[in-house]
Amino acid sequence: MIITIPMLFFCSIQGYAQPKECPVLSELEKTSIKDKKEVIKALTLIPKTYGTGIDDFPDIYTKWDVVTAKPFPETVGNKDEEDYFGMAKTFCGKEIAEKSWLVRLDFPKAPGASLGQGQIFLAKSKEKGWFVWFQYH
């Protein structure tokens, strides 16, 4: 019983934190750190991804600060960011992760650290432009 309960809890977390579907590699455009301004402009996707808020805090996601915006390969060597690259590779494979970006956000209207931080994985479609393929927090 003692072993079973933690295993069930851990497995349910593992099952929860996964993208609904992975991007299609052949549809992705290659990007680089030179595209950072374009990524920042694309963050109008945040309200679509997060909504504007939650019941008790209806507007917490209406303002945000970008903590990090970089292609996943650029995260190597930064322990706080590199782990997300590992997640992206585990979820959708190395090739998808290498064509994706990590954007870490701070929501200043949030009441606490767990609501105040966000991480999204973005990629650029050849036809449709930037899109969020995974929201971690």
Side-chain angles (χ1 to χ4, degrees):
M1 181 89 166
I2 293 172
I3 293 173
T4 305
I5 292 173
M7 288 297 288
L8 288 173
F9 180 74
F10 178 74
C11 292
S12 67
I13 290 172
Q14 289 282 85
Y16 176 75
Q18 294 184 2
K20 292 178 184 168
E21 60 184 55
C22 291
V24 177
L25 182 60
S26 63
E27 295 176 4
L28 297 182
E29 192 171 305
K30 185 175 180 173
T31 62
S32 72
I33 195 68
K34 294 176 184 176
D35 298 303
K36 185 172 182 172
K37 286 183 182 178
E38 193 178 321
V39 170
I40 300 299
K41 280 185 180 180
L43 294 181
T44 57
L45 293 166
I46 290 173
K48 182 179 176 185
T49 303
Y50 285 89
T52 56
I54 56 177
D55 291 342
D56 292 338
F57 307 98
D59 68 344
I60 65 171
Y61 299 124
T62 57
K63 291 190 180 203
W64 59 85
D65 297 315
V66 176
V67 177
T68 298
K70 60 176 74 168
F72 271 118
E74 300 277 331
T75 66
V76 175
N78 181 324
K79 187 62 178 152
D80 291 337
E81 299 170 352
E82 189 173 31
D83 290 342
Y84 296 109
F85 187 26
M87 287 173 59
K89 289 189 281 189
T90 298
F91 292 155
C92 296
K94 183 180 178 189
E95 294 84 4
I96 299 287
E98 288 177 343
K99 287 190 171 187
S100 298
W101 283 62
L102 169 65
V103 176
R104 294 173 54 217
L105 304 162
D106 178 62
F107 296 103
K109 290 186 173 186
S114 63
L115 290 175
Q117 299 176 8
Q119 301 85 25
I120 52 177
F121 299 0
L122 288 89
K124 186 175 184 183
S125 164
K126 292 175 183 175
E127 293 185 18
K128 298 178 183 175
W130 293 97
F131 65 98
V132 174
W133 63 265
F134 182 65
Q135 172 191 347
Y136 186 59
H137 281 132

